[in-house]
Amino acid sequence: GVDYTHAALGNCSSSSFTSGTCSKVIAGYDFVNSDNDPIDDHGHGTHVAGIVASTNDTYRGIAPDANIVAIKVLDSSGSGNSSNLISGIDWCVNNASIFNISVISMSLGTSTLFTSHCDNDDTLLTNSIANAIAKNISVIAATGNDDSTTSIANPACITNVTAVGGVNKNDAIDFNRNSITDLLAPGVSITSTKRNGGFESLNGTSMSTPHAAGAFALLRQYRRLEQNKILTPLEIQDALNDTG
């Protein structure tokens, strides 16, 4: 979920959101409560959304002019299930052309870790992600925070997903990573939007993932506007790797 009432995330009312007139968080769905209002009741979603697209002058997002589609698949305790996650991804695929959805950012993952690609662990989830890629939607996920040097969480371990690990301010690698980790991004002491207003600093690959998602959105827009080219998710990932 996302707190779309936050001043840096559109300052929108509940009635405006449900009527589809918010300028920043433009749409979404709550698969936990099965309704059209994905307001954040935990805090995690608001923080990661701000890393992507906060308009605050001090704590500005990576892509501050980007719009957000809020898909709530975790409950008020931060827990969830594969079924809701699949439904959320499918919603984005089915509504991609309506809301110009180009990136799915997932700051979540299983407690079970994997040393290699895990496409067969949950084939329904793997297929759902493959459908997003087929729609030219980049799918980005957090590797997890267990400080493993050999294993990462699902869905980051799925082949079509860009798996994002974290680094600290000294560029030292923190959290989970292994040979199928695709990108590293800042994940320590990241200040961003806080549910019900204000800002807070948090750590984890949940913070790294929206850094990458914002960069994906910017690079995709740049290539489209400046070079009249539509990049695939893999081309964007490779371009970001090439630039360090």
Side-chain angles (χ1 to χ4, degrees):
V2 176
D3 182 5
Y4 47 73
T5 70
H6 196 289
L9 294 172
N11 196 28
C12 190
S13 67
S14 176
S15 60
S16 294
F17 178 83
T18 53
S19 66
T21 57
C22 289
S23 60
K24 170 63 77 173
V25 186
I26 59 173
Y29 193 82
D30 180 348
F31 285 97
V32 176
N33 299 298
S34 300
D35 61 46
N36 291 311
D37 187 3
I39 190 71
D40 188 3
D41 57 8
H42 178 268
H44 187 264
T46 297
H47 194 270
V48 299
I51 295 170
V52 175
S54 167
T55 59
N56 182 266
D57 288 339
T58 301
Y59 303 114
R60 202 164 184 80
I62 302 299
D65 292 331
N67 290 329
I68 296 170
V69 172
I71 302 298
K72 180 172 170 57
V73 298
L74 303 181
D75 62 23
S76 59
S77 68
S79 299
N81 57 58
S82 177
S83 177
N84 282 343
L85 179 58
I86 291 168
S87 294
I89 295 170
D90 290 347
W91 191 100
C92 291
V93 171
N94 294 332
N95 291 278
S97 59
I98 299 173
F99 299 112
N100 191 30
I101 298 172
S102 61
V103 182
I104 295 175
S105 184
M106 301 187 292
S107 289
L108 48 78
T110 57
S111 57
T112 301
L113 302 182
F114 298 82
T115 58
S116 59
H117 286 124
C118 60
D119 298 42
N120 293 325
D121 182 64
D122 187 336
T123 55
L124 291 178
L125 177 58
T126 297
N127 291 338
S128 182
I129 289 169
N131 291 335
I133 297 296
K135 275 274 192 176
N136 209 32
I137 301 172
S138 298
V139 181
I140 304 171
T143 57
N145 304 328
D146 304 280
D147 292 323
S148 173
T149 59
T150 59
S151 305
I152 63 176
N154 188 345
C157 55
I158 293 174
T159 301
N160 280 321
V161 173
T162 297
V164 181
V167 296
N168 61 33
K169 64 181 180 180
N170 297 317
D171 288 334
I173 302 175
D174 284 315
F175 315 117
N176 294 355
R177 68 275 194 190
N178 64 0
S179 61
I180 61 170
T181 300
D182 297 299
L183 294 172
L184 299 172
V188 178
S189 299
I190 306 301
T191 302
S192 183
T193 43
K194 182 180 180 181
R195 175 178 172 247
N196 295 326
F199 300 87
E200 62 181 340
S201 183
L202 297 174
N203 304 319
T205 55
S206 282
M207 287 68 250
S208 307
T209 301
H211 274 92
F216 267 60
L218 290 176
L219 184 55
R220 177 174 173 137
Q221 182 189 40
Y222 169 76
R223 290 291 178 90
R224 179 174 58 83
L225 295 178
E226 298 296 323
Q227 301 175 350
N228 195 30
K229 181 178 181 181
I230 303 298
L231 295 181
T232 67
L234 183 58
E235 287 174 330
I236 298 173
Q237 179 183 300
D238 288 344
L240 289 173
N241 266 321
D242 289 342
T243 59

